[in-house]
Amino acid sequence: MFDFTGKTVLITGASGALGTTLTARFSEAGANTVTAARTGYDQLAAQLHGPSLGVPLDVTSESDWTDAIHQTEARFGPLDILINNAAYLRVGTVESIPLDEFQRVLDTNLTGALLGIRAAAPSMRAAGGGAIVNINSVAGLAAAPDLVAYSSSKWALRGLMRAAAKGLARDNIRVNSVHPGIIETPLAYGPDGNALVPVDDFAIPRNATPDEIAHFILFAASDQARFATGSELIADGGFTLGPLT
């Protein structure tokens, strides 16, 4: 369906459930795939069939970003696609969330994306353009009182996406976001094993598979979406419609 032959993509949070699916799908579509994560990046890259590179990356570290882009360019040339997928979630309300955890969520989900866009833009400019996809959430579209830090970071990420899209438009760099619903990953469950957000009463009463969401992300990164920038693609199974009953 998608052809990324000759394109170089860097995926953050690559060792997570959605990240591993994304790396596999981009690799299968012919991309030079850069797996970026705190741990497991080399092992993940080694499992891919196409050209690949594993790089260590703490998305909150500006020097890590500089090194990751440098390694990418040394191996494959300029970067074409950035997938800002790394995320951190901590359950808590406005009254219960520890302040240091609130800041950690913002640092990972918002500042990490900013640093990624900042680091990737010069490389994409040298390539003549590129595509950046921020992985957002339905928590960035609807109130999530028990996920106040996560929701705050994702709402702010919408503003960052739009500002970056406008600021980089004349460099032929597109910036879009994908808002998944609840994905069947460990992040969907609390420490007690119960679902953080029950979906039984919604239009499509199940969690999404990582593959279903990956297809939306590949579309946003592909030339098939070349007329879209500053856009929000929602793949939530009707979650934002509200319960049917």
Side-chain angles (χ1 to χ4, degrees):
M1 182 184 299
F2 300 106
D3 184 2
F4 290 97
T5 302
K7 299 288 188 181
T8 298
V9 55
L10 187 152
I11 302 162
T12 72
S15 59
L18 180 57
T20 55
T21 301
L22 284 170
T23 61
R25 298 299 165 264
F26 272 106
S27 181
E28 290 165 1
N32 304 320
T33 307
V34 181
T35 62
R38 289 174 180 263
T39 61
Y41 46 87
D42 278 335
Q43 300 93 315
L44 181 58
Q47 294 171 9
L48 301 176
H49 297 297
S52 63
L53 171 69
V55 296
L57 179 64
D58 173 351
V59 296
T60 69
S61 167
E62 196 162 10
S63 62
D64 273 15
W65 271 110
T66 299
D67 290 344
I69 297 298
H70 177 75
Q71 290 184 56
T72 297
E73 291 181 326
R75 178 70 175 275
F76 297 121
L79 182 67
D80 299 291
I81 300 164
L82 170 65
I83 309 296
N84 277 319
N85 172 63
Y88 177 64
L89 182 148
R90 173 64 186 264
V91 176
T93 67
V94 291
E95 293 181 283
S96 68
I97 187 77
L99 184 57
D100 62 336
E101 285 295 289
F102 185 87
Q103 190 62 56
R104 182 182 175 189
V105 173
L106 290 181
D107 286 346
T108 302
N109 300 353
L110 179 61
T111 306
L114 168 68
L115 293 177
I117 296 170
R118 177 183 292 178
S123 190
M124 291 183 174
R125 199 174 287 120
I132 298 170
V133 183
N134 292 337
I135 311 309
N136 205 298
S137 167
V138 288
L141 298 169
D146 292 330
L147 298 174
V148 65
Y150 189 76
S151 187
S152 296
S153 71
K154 294 300 188 178
W155 278 83
L157 189 58
R158 296 175 68 188
L160 172 63
M161 181 274 290
R162 288 175 176 270
K166 202 164 188 178
L168 297 172
R170 290 298 178 261
D171 295 314
N172 195 33
I173 298 172
R174 300 184 297 108
V175 189
N176 294 291
S177 64
V178 172
H179 292 253
I182 312 304
I183 309 173
E184 188 58 35
T185 73
L187 285 178
Y189 300 91
D192 57 3
N194 292 323
L196 291 176
V197 182
V199 294
D200 292 347
D201 293 334
F202 291 92
I204 300 178
R206 62 173 176 83
N207 293 342
T209 68
D211 247 335
E212 288 173 315
I213 302 304
H215 282 296
F216 276 85
I217 296 166
L218 266 69
F219 168 72
S222 75
D223 288 342
Q224 294 179 41
R226 60 186 174 272
F227 198 57
T229 193
S231 297
E232 298 174 327
L233 284 74
I234 302 171
D236 69 348
F239 183 89
T240 49
L241 295 173
L244 298 186
T245 57

